[in-house]
Amino acid sequence: MAEALTERLAHIVGAGHVSTDPDVLAARSVDHTGRYRGRACALVRPGTGDQVAAVLRACRDAGAYVTVQGGRTSLVAGTVPEHDDVLLSTERLTTIGDVDTVERRISVGAGVTLAAVQKTAAAAGLVFGVDLAARDSATVGGMASTNAGGLRTVRYGNMGEQVLGLDIALPDGSVVHRHSQVRRDNTGYDLTSLFVGAEGTLGVITALDLRLYPVPTHRATAVCGFADLDALVETGRRFRDLDGIAALELIDARAGRLAAEHLGVPVPVAGSWLLLIELAGDTDQTERLADALTDAQVCDEPAVGVDIGAQQRLWNVRESLAEVVGLFGPPLKFDVSLPLSAIGGFAESAGKLVAAHAPDAIPVLFGHIGEGNLHLNVLRCALDTEPALYAAMMALIADCGGNVSSEHGVGTRKRDYVAMSRTPADIAAMRAVKAALDPRGYLNPAVLFAQ
């Protein structure tokens, strides 16, 4: 990178927040799974939204590419640079405003972690609607950029439904402050929705206004075992429309056995497939949970938790999966959205594909069954088997009527498969928006669009 740009960036953010150290850049140029690596020429860490805008202007004027990084928990290589990029980290944008308990909202910097938002909301007697296993490192700016979902989506919706306002630094170095204190604002284009889910290709989110919710006073949690995946899906279909549903999670019993063997997390019920259900409300939910399970084709007595300790033990079965999938090295990950009617067929066909391409691998399926948003993780999958298996799995997802990207985004890993889920007219329209806001194409250039 030209020395002049390095000096310019240091002038903007301070010399201590710019690095060209090869070891630092190498550590920052690998994705969360460890499977994908890129190359960068510098790391810059702005401390304010205005500094972000100034960094973008400097990089644009110097002809440098920029890759934006938050908590770097992307599972689709969304933060991996490909063009000797400048890495723009939002990690110093950590301002947390006071909780507005009347309007139930909070303003935070894009670099604030999910866990910090949750802690601040809880201290005010409220709850934030999105929860992820990576809560301690995932940043809310990155979560908004990918429109992340998570464990509570069936109740509160995706990240986009939590975002009330944004500050965005645009590729030309200008700043948009899109905020409103009213509950209904239908003035002009919905720019907030445009930038949520854009994966940093249209601008850099620097701050957010987030929606908060009252804390339910009663919860009831259960883990049920099923011999048949279709029976589990049918039970999930009934529960997802039930008033008070708070979580609805599919767990592959193979993952449960690995958690028990390697992590000491006991699986409380028998079955090839497990369903974690949680109801929440202002009254005792135990009887409602039992009534709703009356006709479920379970193969064992459900394990039910009504107190916090018992509920946490049941949740440990689901939460342990984040560690389980890394037991044999970096897994090959597929984040997909499927019609509920296609899930059983997909699971069977996906297992056959894995066996054909990687006989020693272990496929593990889990996810948010209420939305049909599933995570297929292939453990013990050698790097040399990945290209053929990945392409075949993408084709299977499309054949099942699914979407090649759900809550993790497209990133760089899935950009060649966008046409499986979007028509040429859709893609052309997206490219037109990109060209209008970033005509040079220097911001997150590896993400979303195939070159």
Side-chain angles (χ1 to χ4, degrees):
M1 183 182 65
E3 185 177 344
L5 179 55
T6 306
E7 293 176 355
R8 176 62 180 150
L9 296 178
H11 177 74
I12 294 169
V13 304
H17 301 299
V18 177
S19 177
T20 57
D21 185 301
D23 292 335
V24 172
L25 298 180
R28 294 276 186 148
S29 298
V30 60
D31 88 315
H32 185 69
T33 70
R35 298 185 79 91
Y36 314 115
R37 294 181 179 274
R39 60 187 189 276
C41 62
L43 167 69
V44 58
R45 302 185 303 124
T48 67
D50 288 341
Q51 287 185 0
V52 172
V55 165
L56 291 182
R57 283 194 298 272
C59 291
R60 180 202 59 183
D61 293 345
Y65 291 103
V66 173
T67 289
V68 185
Q69 296 188 335
R72 298 189 298 123
T73 58
S74 171
L75 300 176
V76 288
T79 60
V80 177
E82 291 188 355
H83 304 89
D84 284 326
D85 303 20
V86 173
L87 301 177
L88 192 163
S89 172
T90 62
E91 64 193 82
R92 293 179 60 218
L93 305 177
T94 54
T95 300
I96 301 178
D98 294 332
V99 175
D100 184 339
T101 56
V102 176
E103 295 296 331
R104 295 201 290 266
R105 59 192 291 164
I106 185 172
S107 297
V108 299
V112 173
T113 64
L114 170 58
V117 173
Q118 291 174 329
K119 181 178 179 181
T120 303
L126 298 169
V127 65
F128 182 56
V130 176
D131 191 21
L132 311 170
R135 60 185 68 88
D136 292 322
S137 51
T139 61
V140 290
M143 290 167 60
S145 291
T146 58
N147 197 16
L151 302 171
R152 302 292 182 184
T153 307
V154 70
R155 183 179 182 90
Y156 299 111
N158 280 11
M159 189 68 183
E161 293 169 79
Q162 321 310 321
V163 178
L164 300 172
L166 292 173
D167 287 346
I168 312 107
L170 298 181
D172 66 0
S174 63
V175 180
V176 171
H177 302 281
R178 189 59 178 257
H179 302 275
S180 179
Q181 296 300 312
V182 299
R183 295 200 171 195
R184 180 67 175 170
D185 188 345
N186 197 27
T187 309
Y189 298 135
D190 186 355
L191 291 182
T192 299
S193 294
L194 177 63
F195 290 96
V196 171
E199 301 188 46
T201 59
L202 303 180
V204 181
I205 295 173
T206 62
L208 310 90
D209 296 335
L210 299 175
R211 189 190 311 275
L212 302 176
Y213 300 87
V215 178
T217 55
H218 293 79
R219 293 185 184 273
T221 310
V223 171
C224 310
F226 293 81
D228 179 68
L229 182 53
D230 287 333
L232 182 150
V233 170
E234 182 55 36
T235 300
R237 189 191 305 274
R238 295 204 311 270
F239 267 96
R240 71 174 179 175
D241 297 324
L242 192 66
D243 185 41
I245 187 67
L248 203 55
E249 294 291 302
L250 165 70
I251 303 168
D252 192 329
R254 287 171 292 198
R257 289 192 291 271
L258 289 172
E261 178 182 354
H262 295 275
L263 307 178
V265 177
V267 178
V269 295
S272 299
W273 302 95
L274 310 179
L275 179 64
L276 184 148
I277 304 164
E278 185 164 276
L279 298 180
D282 294 331
T283 59
D284 188 353
Q285 302 293 301
T286 310
E287 288 189 13
R288 293 185 66 239
L289 178 62
D291 290 343
L293 284 171
T294 299
D295 298 325
Q297 299 177 35
V298 296
C299 61
D300 196 1
E301 187 70 21
V304 179
V306 292
D307 63 80
I308 294 177
Q311 290 166 0
Q312 187 56 55
R313 285 191 292 274
L314 296 180
W315 269 105
N316 285 344
V317 181
R318 174 63 177 88
E319 295 274 6
S320 68
L321 301 186
E323 189 171 352
V324 163
V325 298
L327 287 173
F328 303 100
L332 180 59
K333 290 179 171 286
F334 299 92
D335 164 51
V336 304
S337 183
L338 294 164
L340 294 192
S341 60
I343 289 176
F346 169 78
E348 181 179 357
S349 297
K352 292 178 180 177
L353 271 184
V354 172
H357 288 270
D360 295 329
I362 305 171
V364 170
L365 186 66
F366 60 90
H368 322 305
I369 198 70
E371 302 79 55
N373 175 199
L374 304 181
H375 308 303
L376 175 63
N377 288 258
V378 185
L379 317 187
R380 285 196 319 217
C381 183
L383 287 173
D384 60 356
T385 65
E386 176 177 336
L389 176 56
Y390 207 96
M393 195 66 73
M394 290 293 104
L396 173 62
I397 293 164
D399 289 344
C400 290
N403 195 320
V404 299
S405 172
S406 188
E407 64 179 348
H408 293 165
V410 172
T412 66
R413 187 64 188 87
K414 294 184 177 182
R415 65 190 178 200
D416 292 334
Y417 304 101
V418 171
M420 289 183 173
S421 298
R422 293 290 180 264
T423 67
D426 287 332
I427 296 172
M430 290 191 290
R431 284 186 176 276
V433 174
K434 170 69 170 174
L437 291 175
D438 183 15
R440 262 206 59 233
Y442 80 96
L443 184 58
N444 272 19
V447 173
L448 191 57
F449 299 110
Q451 302 300 314

